[in-house]
Amino acid sequence: MTFILCIPTKDYLPVEVKTTNDLAEQILEELEYLKFGKNKLFSTNAISSCIKQACIYYRDAKSVNWRSSGLLYYYSFLNLAKAYLGGKKMVTSTELTTTKILHGITADPLQIITNLMDFEIKIYPPTQNNSINTFSKFYESVTKKRWPFTGNILIQIKEIVGFSYEISREFQSLFNISPCVIPVRSMIIDDGRSMWLDLLIPSSYDTVFQSQIINMPLDKKQFLELSHFEKEQWLLSHAQVTKSYLSDYVLKTHEINYTQDNREKVI
């Protein structure tokens, strides 16, 4: 399926006419069409601004380094959620442009955990202390049910990560997009003279993963083939034993030598 964007009006003339098979891009372009069309859903500047920011954040996320893209994807979805709430009259245009509407979700980056799946996220109720919390309010709007909790709640990554598999299966059924969720752990190794990036991947996924990384030369080694120093870094940082990694491969970038004078620049 393709989508062509061309909506010349007296207020807006597209810079380019685009055709795309990218599902996410089709959705964004449809939202842009609604934003500039005579559709009452997006008739306010506040909602249009949210849509514009969502599109910008998403497209930027696709083009930047993966270390930065996660936050941009988050802000894209946050702005889409705000636009949805505004379109459904769950919040007013004034509320969308003030500090009255909050994210409604926080996390402490300094949590002491030994497994990423135990990382906790705090979610706030739809309204609290005269403020509106976006994500729980979004839940109410989409499900048409009241938020089922009275106060703040804590959830762990392991309690929600399974939903990504369900969504992937829906994509395969509806759009014939094969799902593939690859568990990858990464760490920058620094031995005092050089540094490099290690990616720890289950052996059953390494071929698929490497096929998606075309601009980064990677050397593949089994965990037991690593140097004593490198194995020690992995074991200490994740509080694991060697047995835990016997079925894993490590994909390594080339080592970059540095001096104390240029170390920060290399990082």
Side-chain angles (χ1 to χ4, degrees):
M1 182 175 69
T2 60
F3 183 93
I4 299 176
L5 172 65
C6 184
I7 42 174
T9 69
K10 65 178 181 179
D11 299 318
Y12 172 72
L13 183 65
V15 177
E16 59 181 339
V17 177
K18 294 182 287 185
T19 302
T20 178
N21 288 318
D22 186 298
L23 178 62
E25 190 62 35
Q26 291 176 32
I27 294 172
L28 295 181
E29 290 179 355
E30 178 68 15
L31 287 171
E32 289 181 323
Y33 173 83
L34 294 173
K35 181 178 69 172
F36 289 107
K38 296 181 179 180
N39 190 306
K40 293 182 180 180
L41 179 62
F42 302 130
S43 60
T44 69
N45 290 333
I47 299 175
S48 294
S49 177
C50 288
I51 294 173
K52 180 180 179 180
Q53 291 183 67
C55 293
I56 291 173
Y57 280 128
Y58 181 84
R59 288 166 179 150
D60 284 350
K62 290 181 64 177
S63 62
V64 302
N65 187 282
W66 60 269
R67 294 178 180 85
S68 304
S69 62
L71 184 61
L72 296 174
Y73 282 126
Y74 167 80
Y75 274 105
S76 176
F77 186 78
L78 174 71
N79 278 281
L80 285 176
K82 287 182 177 180
Y84 184 89
L85 292 176
K88 293 294 184 179
K89 312 299 183 185
M90 299 287 286
V91 297
T92 66
S93 296
T94 301
E95 289 169 336
L96 281 176
T97 57
T98 65
T99 55
K100 183 178 177 64
I101 186 166
L102 307 175
H103 295 204
I105 181 172
T106 60
D108 179 6
L110 301 180
Q111 293 178 44
I112 300 175
I113 55 174
T114 57
N115 190 321
L116 179 61
M117 292 295 104
D118 295 328
F119 190 84
E120 291 183 333
I121 302 170
K122 181 182 289 187
I123 303 177
Y124 299 85
T127 55
Q128 189 178 54
N129 299 328
N130 202 35
S131 295
I132 299 169
N133 292 309
T134 300
F135 286 111
S136 49
K137 196 74 172 177
F138 180 69
Y139 169 91
E140 289 190 332
S141 183
V142 171
T143 64
K144 296 180 174 56
K145 296 180 180 179
R146 293 184 62 83
W147 182 249
F149 308 100
T150 56
N152 305 335
I153 62 169
L154 287 174
I155 59 174
Q156 295 179 317
I157 295 294
K158 63 185 176 185
E159 295 172 329
I160 58 176
V161 71
F163 289 106
S164 62
Y165 289 95
E166 294 185 18
I167 294 171
S168 297
R169 285 198 296 270
E170 291 179 7
F171 264 62
Q172 185 173 28
S173 175
L174 294 172
F175 308 109
N176 199 30
I177 299 175
S178 300
C180 186
V181 179
I182 303 176
V184 180
R185 282 172 283 187
S186 64
M187 182 165 59
I188 294 177
I189 307 292
D190 184 347
D191 64 4
R193 301 181 304 276
S194 60
M195 63 180 66
W196 62 93
L197 175 67
D198 271 4
L199 300 171
L200 191 71
I201 301 173
S203 57
S204 56
Y205 289 103
D206 78 284
T207 302
V208 176
F209 181 83
Q210 289 190 83
S211 69
Q212 302 299 315
I213 308 297
I214 58 177
N215 297 320
M216 184 188 298
L218 297 169
D219 295 326
K220 183 173 73 173
K221 289 188 176 183
Q222 291 184 327
F223 186 79
L224 291 178
E225 295 176 323
L226 299 178
S227 67
H228 175 75
F229 171 78
E230 202 167 354
K231 284 188 289 189
E232 186 178 61
Q233 296 303 302
W234 275 106
L235 296 174
L236 290 175
S237 64
H238 290 78
Q240 298 290 332
V241 295
T242 302
K243 184 179 179 181
S244 304
Y245 297 135
L246 290 181
S247 61
D248 295 336
Y249 279 118
V250 175
L251 302 178
K252 303 177 55 173
T253 62
H254 295 315
E255 296 182 17
I256 302 176
N257 296 321
Y258 67 85
T259 64
Q260 292 304 316
D261 294 332
N262 70 351
R263 182 177 182 275
E264 294 300 320
K265 184 178 180 180
V266 170
I267 293 177

